[in-house]
Amino acid sequence: MVVRRVLEWEVVRILERCSSLNQAKEVHAQIYIKNLQQSSYVLTKLLRLVTALPHVPLHSYPRLLFSQLHTPNPFAWTALIRAYALRGPLSQALSFYSSMRKRRVSPISFTFSALFSACAAVRHSALGAQLHAQTLLLGGFSSDLYVNNAVIDMYVKCGSLRCARMVFDEMPERDVISWTGLIVAYTRIGDMRAARDLFDGLPVKDMVTWTAMVTGYAQNAMPMDALEVFRRLRDEGVEIDEVTLVGVISACAQLGASKYANWIRDIAESSGFGVGDNVLVGSALIDMYSKCGNVEEAYDVFKGMRERNVFSYSSMIVGFAIHGRARAAIKLFYDMLETGVKPNHVTFVGVLTACSHAGLVDQGQQLFASMEKCYGVAPTAELYACMTDLLSRAGYLEKALQLVETMPMESDGAVWGALLGASHVHGNPDVAEIASKRLFELEPDNIGNYLLLSNTYASAGRWDDVSKVRKLLREKNLKKNPGWSWVEAKNGMIHKFVAGDVSHPKINEIKKELNDLLERLKGIGYQPNLSSLPYGINDREKRLLLMAHSEKLALAFGLLSTDVGSTIKIMKNLRICEDCHIVMCGASKVTGRKIVVRDNTRFHHFLNGACSCSNFW
């Protein structure tokens, strides 16, 4: 027996060094010579080797190997079940599992983990539930940590989070994998409260769990919470990797504050993930600086990268585009092509947006036509929205409408919204009517679409149609989403303002500053634009509402709290209204300050009474 064991170990040691079918067959011959052909231990190792070779069909050599075993043990059965579970078809894996049970061979943990992984891969929750029942009926697996973690993963990937949580709650023993799997699942569906409850209850947290929370908060637009968790991570001395950094960089990008941007960049540099060292972190930093209103700093990061890929190029192209730097975006696109980097979907979103802002219709059409043929990028609804915006912004409304109506996929709100906005700017109520009809179906509660259609009718003097939209608004009793803005003070602190806000400790000073500013603007011809407000209230009430818009309050505070001559940066959750846009233009002229406003569409750079968007956003 001792000699046999030594022989088995020696053969297995040789098998571990094999990397081809011919080598495996040579060892198989030695197995016969050494009379080990009925050793389940050795044959299982050989099975695992040949089933892992990509070009070896499972039904040929591996099945023949298995059939030569007179009494295969659970590990040999599992080797073949696992191979079919990974490579398919799943039905064969189940067939072997059934044969195994008929021969009264007891499955092991690895048997079930392989089957659960296969169910998760094909999102077959019903089959997964049946196998879960098998683990309970057989006994001994309800306390198996490895199997329970596989069951949780299966239910999570099949979208049965409630079942996953039930398994978790009933587990007699859990490890960090059990907790982290559920935490990630909750973050993906946006239930950050449940994720946080689990996270706080986890006795020992590793880097993966901390990263899951940071990334979860960032992906669910809760940047301050992401930063708070990241700070705790740092205080506890937890090691970070590039995934952790990308998550917190995304949170900083959402806040749009230079203070946090520079802080996180310093951490990245000190952790060995500087812009010249890591292309993933460098690309995220480009995106962050662009969204913080500092496209020059973003470009400095880009230039400092030793390695650049499609993500870094795309981030920079999109950054230039949303800041109105269309020529720079397009030039960088062609520079990228010269380096041999292949563009992707995001690259084309950026370059088409740039063409749109620069009015380069012919160039945009050529790029759109070449996407799939030359670069393998299939048109998407988002890319059609870019083309619709390009054509309609340039005044080709009928051509844009024809493009939308011939799209190969279902058109979404972004496509029709671009057409409605351009119809208003170009005074085309007929196209606006078509676009708004689709928008009312897709976004029935979006009050902005109704107001834009009504204003387009009013501009064309179609007062009966204006009355119809007003009536529809009254019947639906729609309310505008609450607008909020935040501005960075001199000390780097972020101050948030909600429309109609009176809670700020300096609200009286802010109101006085705003009143003084508006008086100065009236001196150069400013008149409040009341058309962007709901109907049913008088003009005095409309003026008061306009005065309370969050970006105006943020502007007034910025004038109070930052140095004369410095740039005021304002971030807003909604599209900036026409009146606020007029005020920002005027304020940049009478104060001599540069004002940068990021709304939910793009950046507006106001300087000397003009905006980078040329009053079309």
Side-chain angles (χ1 to χ4, degrees):
M1 286 297 294
V2 172
V3 172
R4 183 180 175 85
R5 288 296 181 199
V6 170
L7 275 173
E8 287 177 340
W9 292 335
E10 181 63 21
V11 170
V12 167
R13 187 177 65 81
I14 295 169
L15 278 171
E16 287 172 349
R17 297 201 301 268
C18 293
S19 58
S20 69
L21 182 59
N22 286 337
Q23 289 175 344
K25 286 181 176 180
E26 288 176 12
V27 178
H28 191 190
Q30 290 299 314
I31 290 171
Y32 267 94
I33 292 169
K34 304 296 183 183
N35 200 28
L36 297 175
Q37 65 271 23
Q38 291 304 314
S39 169
S40 284
Y41 173 61
V42 172
L43 264 291
T44 297
K45 294 292 185 181
L46 181 57
L47 268 172
R48 288 179 181 171
L49 168 64
V50 296
T51 56
L53 295 172
H55 303 299
V56 178
L58 295 179
H59 65 271
S60 57
Y61 187 54
R63 289 280 289 269
L64 181 62
L65 275 176
F66 181 81
S67 66
Q68 291 174 350
L69 277 169
H70 298 156
T71 54
N73 68 9
F75 294 95
W77 281 99
T78 299
L80 212 51
I81 290 170
R82 182 177 181 274
Y84 276 114
L86 288 172
R87 294 172 57 179
L90 177 55
S91 59
Q92 278 296 320
L94 294 169
S95 176
F96 268 89
Y97 172 75
S98 179
S99 298
M100 177 187 189
R101 296 290 296 120
K102 286 175 182 176
R103 294 196 185 187
R104 301 185 182 279
V105 179
S106 297
I108 55 176
S109 299
F110 297 118
T111 316
F112 283 116
S113 63
L115 290 169
F116 285 130
S117 295
C119 292
V122 297
R123 306 294 189 264
H124 201 323
S125 59
L127 178 58
Q130 290 180 47
L131 289 166
H132 183 200
Q134 285 275 303
T135 66
L136 301 175
L137 289 169
L138 287 169
F141 293 103
S142 60
S143 58
D144 189 309
L145 177 63
Y146 190 70
V147 170
N148 281 328
N149 282 346
V151 174
I152 288 174
D153 182 66
M154 180 272 296
Y155 279 129
V156 164
K157 288 177 178 173
C158 290
S160 302
L161 189 50
R162 184 181 62 85
C163 294
R165 184 58 188 264
M166 287 173 65
V167 173
F168 176 86
D169 290 340
E170 293 172 5
M171 286 172 68
E173 180 190 356
R174 304 171 186 135
D175 64 3
V176 70
I177 295 172
S178 323
W179 296 79
T180 305
L182 266 185
I183 288 170
V184 170
Y186 279 123
T187 64
R188 284 176 179 164
I189 65 169
D191 190 349
M192 291 308 300
R193 177 174 294 180
R196 186 60 180 259
D197 287 344
L198 278 175
F199 177 77
D200 290 340
L202 177 57
V204 180
K205 306 170 179 67
D206 65 4
M207 180 183 68
V208 176
T209 316
W210 283 99
T211 299
M213 287 303 298
V214 171
T215 304
Y217 276 126
Q219 289 174 344
N220 286 285
M222 302 171 72
M224 291 306 296
D225 296 281
L227 288 169
E228 178 260 327
V229 172
F230 184 77
R231 282 197 186 95
R232 280 182 55 196
L233 175 159
R234 297 281 293 170
D235 291 343
E236 296 197 18
V238 178
E239 186 181 354
I240 60 174
D241 65 3
E242 60 185 16
V243 180
T244 323
L245 280 168
V246 169
V248 74
I249 289 169
S250 173
C252 294
Q254 291 174 43
L255 285 171
S258 301
K259 170 188 174 182
Y260 293 107
N262 295 329
W263 170 68
I264 198 61
R265 181 176 179 180
D266 289 342
I267 291 174
E269 296 279 359
S270 63
S271 303
F273 296 99
V275 297
D277 306 309
N278 189 286
V279 67
L280 184 63
V281 173
S283 301
L285 287 171
I286 291 169
D287 179 68
M288 177 190 71
Y289 276 118
S290 294
K291 289 177 178 174
C292 288
N294 197 339
V295 71
E296 292 80 9
E297 190 68 35
Y299 192 47
D300 285 342
V301 170
F302 178 82
K303 290 187 292 185
M305 295 175 71
R306 285 196 290 268
E307 177 191 353
R308 300 175 189 136
N309 61 13
V310 65
F311 301 108
S312 41
Y313 273 104
S314 299
S315 294
M316 195 65 249
I317 289 168
V318 170
F320 278 137
I322 62 175
H323 281 274
R325 301 272 295 274
R327 302 287 177 183
I330 295 165
K331 180 182 182 301
L332 187 60
F333 173 76
Y334 286 109
D335 289 345
M336 180 190 76
L337 295 181
E338 287 182 8
T339 66
V341 176
K342 188 178 178 181
N344 64 11
H345 167 265
V346 178
T347 322
F348 277 102
V349 168
V351 74
L352 289 176
T353 300
C355 288
S356 180
H357 291 160
L360 301 174
V361 176
D362 291 341
Q363 191 166 8
Q365 288 179 308
Q366 289 170 11
L367 286 167
F368 187 75
S370 68
M371 280 191 316
E372 190 163 17
K373 184 170 67 174
C374 299
Y375 308 106
V377 178
T380 62
E382 186 178 13
L383 289 167
Y384 269 99
C386 291
M387 277 305 297
T388 306
D389 183 66
L390 168 63
L391 293 170
S392 55
R393 184 186 289 260
Y396 298 105
L397 293 173
E398 297 295 338
K399 199 170 185 177
L401 180 60
Q402 184 182 11
L403 177 73
V404 174
E405 290 177 336
T406 56
M407 281 173 58
M409 72 284 294
E410 191 69 29
S411 52
D412 60 13
V415 173
W416 292 107
L419 199 55
L420 176 59
S423 300
H424 173 64
V425 171
H426 291 290
N428 190 322
D430 295 328
V431 175
E433 199 170 65
I434 296 169
S436 60
K437 184 178 179 181
R438 291 302 306 274
L439 284 167
F440 294 164
E441 296 170 0
L442 295 165
E443 304 169 352
D445 297 327
N446 186 343
I447 190 174
N449 295 328
Y450 297 86
L451 293 174
L452 205 52
L453 176 62
S454 178
N455 293 339
T456 307
Y457 282 146
S459 299
R462 290 171 54 170
W463 301 109
D464 288 344
D465 291 318
V466 170
S467 298
K468 289 176 184 176
V469 179
R470 289 184 183 183
K471 182 182 177 184
L472 190 58
L473 274 172
R474 286 194 298 269
E475 290 172 352
K476 297 181 79 68
N477 195 28
L478 296 178
K479 305 290 183 185
K480 284 193 75 172
N481 291 330
W484 43 262
S485 304
W486 63 91
V487 63
E488 194 172 357
K490 181 180 176 181
N491 60 2
M493 290 292 292
I494 293 175
H495 292 254
K496 183 176 178 178
F497 295 89
V498 180
D501 195 359
V502 293
S503 61
H504 196 281
K506 291 189 175 182
I507 190 61
N508 291 329
E509 297 171 58
I510 291 168
K511 284 185 174 180
K512 183 179 182 305
E513 181 71 22
L514 183 55
N515 278 322
D516 291 345
L517 173 64
L518 293 177
E519 286 301 317
R520 294 174 69 186
L521 294 181
K522 287 177 185 176
I524 60 171
Y526 165 70
Q527 289 294 326
N529 185 325
L530 307 181
S531 64
S532 58
L533 291 168
Y535 297 101
I537 57 176
N538 60 44
D539 285 355
R540 180 180 174 278
E541 290 173 315
K542 287 182 179 181
R543 287 188 177 90
L544 290 174
L545 282 175
L546 284 177
M547 279 279 291
H549 276 195
S550 62
E551 56 267 58
K552 289 192 180 80
L553 297 174
L555 171 62
F557 180 76
L559 291 169
L560 284 170
S561 61
T562 57
D563 291 334
V564 174
S566 63
T567 299
I568 298 172
K569 294 181 181 178
I570 299 167
M571 308 292 159
K572 182 173 170 60
N573 68 322
L574 303 175
R575 180 179 182 269
I576 185 172
C577 80
E578 291 182 64
D579 185 71
C580 288
H581 196 272
I582 294 168
V583 167
M584 296 292 171
C585 278
S588 70
K589 183 174 184 178
V590 299
T591 65
R593 305 280 289 272
K594 182 178 181 181
I595 303 165
V596 179
V597 177
R598 185 185 87 183
D599 66 8
N600 65 348
T601 303
R602 59 169 295 163
F603 276 86
H604 302 263
H605 293 254
F606 300 93
L607 186 63
N608 296 326
C611 179
S612 58
C613 75
S614 301
N615 297 330
F616 191 151
W617 68 103

